């Protein structure tokens, strides 16, 4: 175990944990956008920036990927950090002015105006959707394309991506709700990925519970008979 101080509070963390994990377990809030505990840290948003002192050295690090160490002193909310977070939120708002989740964050952190020219994107490029599809779902149905201002997340060639099973995991983790999922006339539709898939109804209770693409993948992966897979979790 490792003993450290976060915001004046003594915290015991496990070896190998990150500062963010240790803080979260101790009930200390550090804001994040691109972090999710199910996928590897990516440090894209840098909102989790904290000040760390080890020995005589103090530096700014991203809490989501910085490992805890014995005797480390962490400050999560100094004036400098507050200024840094405000600037990050302001830059994100300049890039994506229409996102309500960002506007909420701006209000919470006291960002009153955006001094930079405004874009019209609805994606903060945190890559959480891409990483979740790869690392959790085990597919690579979406990815990054382009560089700089033209960088974006999309399907290959902007066409319906074959591997996508419309599981909705990418939409679930999106920190700014930028990936809509709709269920219309017995289909799940994800316009952002140019894809729709028929919904499968549970053979016992009749409730829609997965897409045909999910069923196809499950059949391939498990080798189980289709009848057993057509039962929802409640009816199994
Ligand atoms: S809905 Fe498609 S793109 Fe999104 S996580 Fe599932 S398989 Fe990947």
């Amino acid at each position: 175990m490792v003993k450290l101080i976060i915001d004046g509070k003594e915290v015991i963390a496990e070896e190998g944990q990150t500062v963010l994990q240790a803080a979260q377990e101790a009930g200390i809030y550090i804001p994040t956008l691109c972090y999710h505990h199910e996928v590897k840290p990516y440090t894209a948003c840098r909102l989790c920036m904290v000040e760390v002192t080890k020995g005589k050295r103090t530096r700014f690090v991203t809490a989501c990927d910085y490992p805890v160490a014995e005797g480390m002193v962490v400050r999560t909310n100094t004036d400098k950090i507050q200024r840094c977070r405000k600037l990050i939120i302001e830059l994100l708002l300049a890039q994506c002015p229409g996102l309500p989740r960002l506007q909420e964050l701006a209000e919470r952190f006291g960002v009153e105006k955006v001094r930079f020219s405004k874009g019209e994107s609805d994606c903060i490029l945190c890559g959480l959707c891409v990483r979740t599809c790869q690392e959790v779902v085990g597919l690579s149905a979406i990815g990054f394309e382009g560089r700089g201002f033209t960088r974006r997340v999309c399907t290959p060639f902007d066409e319906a991506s074959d591997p996508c099973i419309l599981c909705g995991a990418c939409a679930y983790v999106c920190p700014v709700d930028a990936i809509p999922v709709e269920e219309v006339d017995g289909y799940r539709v994800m316009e952002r990925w140019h894809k729709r898939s028929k919904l499968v109804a549970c053979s016992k209770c009749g409730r829609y519970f997965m897409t045909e693409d999910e069923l196809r993948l499950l059949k391939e992966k498990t080798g189980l008979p289709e009848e057993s897979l057509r039962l929802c979790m409640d009816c199994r």
Side-chain angles (χ1 to χ4, degrees):
M1 299 304 256
V2 173
K3 206 186 282 180
L4 67 157
I5 306 286
I6 308 181
D7 291 344
K9 182 177 174 180
E10 189 176 286
V11 171
I12 309 286
E14 279 171 40
E15 198 98 32
Q17 271 191 321
T18 62
V19 169
L20 180 64
Q21 287 167 331
Q24 285 179 337
E25 282 180 19
I28 296 165
Y29 173 67
I30 297 175
T32 62
L33 279 170
C34 72
Y35 174 79
H36 192 284
H37 60 274
E38 291 291 347
V39 294
K40 290 189 206 107
Y42 188 56
T43 66
C45 73
R46 310 199 81 75
L47 207 56
C48 67
M49 194 76 80
V50 293
E51 203 177 293
V52 160
T53 305
K54 272 201 287 186
K56 288 184 181 161
R57 191 161 179 220
T58 296
R59 54 203 289 229
F60 290 96
V61 300
T62 41
C64 69
D65 68 337
Y66 199 80
V68 292
E70 184 68 32
M72 173 190 273
V73 177
V74 181
R75 291 173 206 86
T76 72
N77 212 11
T78 61
D79 286 350
K80 263 190 189 166
I81 288 166
Q82 282 179 22
R83 282 202 298 277
C84 182
R85 284 188 189 141
K86 278 171 88 164
L87 181 63
I88 291 168
I89 296 167
E90 194 183 338
L91 287 165
L92 288 172
L93 259 182
Q95 179 190 333
C96 310
L99 289 177
R101 295 290 294 272
L102 277 188
Q103 287 157 2
E104 281 164 31
L105 212 55
E107 208 174 300
R108 179 171 188 167
F109 285 87
V111 178
E112 281 157 9
K113 61 174 183 181
V114 175
R115 295 163 292 171
F116 311 108
S117 62
K118 293 195 179 171
E120 49 187 34
S121 175
D122 63 353
C123 173
I124 61 168
L125 301 174
C126 70
L128 206 41
C129 53
V130 176
R131 288 175 288 137
T132 299
C133 189
Q134 278 173 359
E135 295 177 33
V136 180
V137 187
L139 302 169
S140 290
I142 50 177
F144 281 106
E145 188 221 61
R147 286 169 188 274
F149 289 123
T150 62
R151 190 161 166 83
R152 65 195 181 110
V153 174
C154 57
T155 55
F157 308 108
D158 274 325
E159 289 172 2
S161 162
D162 268 349
C164 177
I165 54 171
L166 287 106
C167 64
C170 51
Y172 179 76
V173 296
C174 176
V176 291
D177 293 334
I179 308 173
V181 186
E182 287 181 295
E183 297 202 345
V184 189
D185 299 332
Y187 283 82
R188 185 171 296 160
V189 184
M190 296 183 76
E191 288 293 349
R192 191 157 199 134
W193 310 143
H194 320 288
K195 189 135 185 189
R196 56 171 47 214
S197 182
K198 209 166 187 310
L199 285 161
V200 176
C202 170
S203 56
K204 199 164 177 192
C205 70
R207 189 173 60 88
Y208 287 137
F209 72 107
M210 68 160 102
T211 64
E212 285 197 336
D213 289 283
E214 284 176 292
L215 180 64
R216 173 183 44 79
L217 185 73
L218 264 179
K219 247 168 70 180
E220 275 168 30
K221 293 252 178 209
T222 64
L224 288 168
E226 190 168 322
E227 311 83 75
S228 66
L229 297 171
R230 281 186 177 268
L231 283 168
C232 73
M233 289 305 279
D234 293 339
C235 296
R236 258 171 223 181

